[in-house]
Amino acid sequence: MKALILVGGFGTRLRPLTLSVPKPLVDFANKPMILHQIEALKEVGVTEVVLAINYQPEVMLNFLKDFEAKLGIKIICSQETEPLGTAGPLALARDKLIDGSGEPFFVLNSDVISEYPFDELIKFHKSHGGEATIMVTKVDEPSKYGVVVMEEETGKVDRFVEKPKIFVGNKINAGIYLLNPSVLDRIELRPTSIEKEVFPQIAADQKLYAMVLPGFWMDVGQPRDYITGLRLYLNSLRKKSPSKLAGGSHIVGNVLVHESAVIGEGCLIGPDVAIGPGCVVESGVRLSRCTVMRGARVKKHSCISSSIIGWHSTVGQWARVENMTILGEDVHVCDEIYSNGGVVLPHKEIKSSILKPEIVM
């Protein structure tokens, strides 16, 4: 089987992290976001992944070359010269997706983190005999999204309602699809939307089905959702493979610590924390609801909450970093500094406190 991952553009919502690497290579729970998807695809027998991309394809491919060999999966790029929306890239990659087998192929949005129940998706798709299956997830506030109106028993999709004013349902498109090759005949090579143009057309022909995604779902394309997504992911890990999580008297709740990270005496870490490879957390540090990426150092008695510490950054002694502070790569926060929601671009030194959320260039 094959899969296409919609990588897309610049990842502006996740800057300053995406100033260093393309968004799918930003670490999430200690590995690049896209790797979570590729590993799950490999498990259900996908042998070739096409990345639909319009930005820095060489960076992506160079990075993923290592994983091609490790995972035994072929990874290729389909590069847009102009943004083609969410359906155009499928038309562009048509020759890479069709192999004459008639097998359906996966399409994923690269920002989506979930338990990826691809096995169940394949079984459901084959059982209903339609042309396409989309995964949907239940949300509390459907008025912010495009809602999928479907038959509960069969999963057949009736219609889509964009940001409904009155309640029509609480299921939204989760950005995970399984499509028959015939769907490609419906897509022209131009900027076009799979959600607004292609799927409604298939639904009108009574050939579109939806499956409710079991477990958690999050679009982690922006910082607040990234932090929430980490909590949901670690919670799921607790249920599925608790041995991967850290334990001990200094750990509270779900915490993921890379084996090469070093943690000092008298720290209190958790809940919902990921500490990446080569990180050093000195003594007496307090961490909660945060990510500390590869090679970062957190000095003595500092406190970090609800924040993202980018690669190779340093947080000084007795510093306090909170409220969605995001440090880009190689940022150095001096001793005794306070950051309240500072968004700091790469290679900066912060010598004075950031008292209200602002961008530091």
Side-chain angles (χ1 to χ4, degrees):
M1 284 181 86
K2 295 189 177 188
L4 178 116
I5 301 179
L6 294 163
V7 173
F10 298 101
T12 49
R13 294 179 305 160
L14 214 48
R15 282 180 183 163
L17 301 169
T18 49
L19 295 174
S20 297
V21 296
K23 184 171 57 179
L25 300 186
V26 171
D27 294 316
F28 178 85
N30 293 352
K31 62 182 164 196
M33 281 184 205
I34 201 166
L35 211 52
H36 291 274
Q37 297 184 329
I38 293 174
E39 286 174 353
L41 288 166
K42 164 76 180 158
E43 267 180 38
V44 293
V46 169
T47 53
E48 192 168 320
V49 175
V50 181
L51 305 177
I53 189 166
N54 61 19
Y55 168 63
Q56 291 188 320
E58 46 299 314
V59 179
M60 289 281 291
L61 281 178
N62 290 343
F63 181 86
L64 291 166
K65 277 283 166 272
D66 302 344
F67 292 102
E68 261 195 330
K70 263 185 219 162
L71 294 171
I73 191 166
K74 188 176 174 193
I75 302 170
I76 56 174
C77 268
S78 169
Q79 190 183 0
E80 308 162 33
T81 49
E82 58 165 344
L84 290 171
T86 50
L90 278 74
L92 186 66
R94 183 191 173 102
D95 297 344
K96 295 179 170 74
L97 292 168
I98 289 186
D99 55 7
S101 68
E103 282 273 287
F105 58 89
F106 288 97
V107 176
L108 312 183
N109 285 347
S110 68
D111 297 356
V112 169
I113 290 287
S114 77
E115 288 171 7
Y116 306 123
F118 295 149
D119 254 339
E120 294 94 314
L121 180 56
I122 293 169
K123 289 190 186 95
F124 175 67
H125 182 77
K126 292 192 168 157
S127 72
H128 65 62
E131 203 173 341
T133 306
I134 64 177
M135 296 214 96
V136 293
T137 185
K138 292 179 182 172
V139 289
D140 296 334
E141 288 183 61
S143 61
K144 296 196 314 203
Y145 303 92
V147 172
V148 181
V149 182
M150 57 189 268
E151 289 175 11
E152 290 300 318
E153 297 75 48
T154 61
K156 184 182 280 187
V157 174
D158 176 43
R159 65 190 194 281
F160 296 84
V161 183
E162 195 57 41
K163 297 186 177 162
K165 296 281 181 285
I166 54 164
F167 186 84
V168 291
N170 65 344
K171 297 180 190 74
I172 65 163
N173 179 342
I176 298 171
Y177 321 126
L178 191 56
L179 312 178
N180 286 353
S182 58
V183 171
L184 294 170
D185 298 333
R186 297 175 178 266
I187 305 173
E188 294 172 28
L189 183 52
R190 61 179 173 85
T192 165
S193 161
I194 198 164
E195 301 86 356
K196 294 185 178 137
E197 297 179 59
V198 182
F199 288 154
Q201 191 191 353
I202 303 174
D205 293 345
Q206 314 256 311
K207 291 182 175 174
L208 182 66
Y209 288 78
M211 174 183 154
V212 178
L213 181 76
F216 78 98
W217 175 88
M218 201 73 215
D219 175 332
V220 293
Q222 51 193 352
R224 199 168 291 280
D225 296 336
Y226 177 106
I227 296 287
T228 304
L230 183 64
R231 173 174 62 78
L232 298 171
Y233 174 84
L234 293 176
N235 203 28
S236 158
L237 207 56
R238 165 74 63 199
K239 291 177 193 147
K240 291 194 157 180
S241 28
S243 61
K244 290 182 178 171
L245 294 171
S249 58
H250 63 300
I251 300 287
V252 186
N254 299 330
V255 175
L256 189 63
V257 180
H258 192 270
E259 59 199 19
S260 63
V262 178
I263 294 177
E265 296 291 305
C267 291
L268 188 58
I269 295 174
D272 309 320
V273 172
I275 298 173
C279 289
V280 177
V281 177
E282 295 182 5
S283 58
V285 165
R286 175 75 181 104
L287 302 177
S288 64
R289 295 182 305 283
C290 65
T291 286
V292 182
M293 292 185 181
R294 185 183 62 249
R297 177 179 284 264
V298 181
K299 294 189 176 176
K300 291 175 186 168
H301 308 294
S302 57
C303 176
I304 301 173
S305 68
S306 301
S307 296
I308 301 173
I309 308 301
W311 310 272
H312 307 290
S313 288
T314 311
V315 174
Q317 297 184 29
W318 297 100
R320 185 178 186 92
V321 172
E322 62 187 25
N323 190 23
M324 289 296 144
T325 291
I326 307 169
L327 305 184
E329 181 182 15
D330 180 44
V331 167
H332 301 284
V333 175
C334 293
D335 295 351
E336 299 177 30
I337 291 292
Y338 172 56
S339 171
N340 172 20
V343 173
V344 186
L345 273 65
H347 315 299
K348 286 291 293 180
E349 187 176 23
I350 301 299
K351 294 176 178 169
S352 57
S353 290
I354 301 168
L355 301 178
K356 61 182 199 306
E358 62 174 303
I359 294 168
V360 180
M361 295 184 72

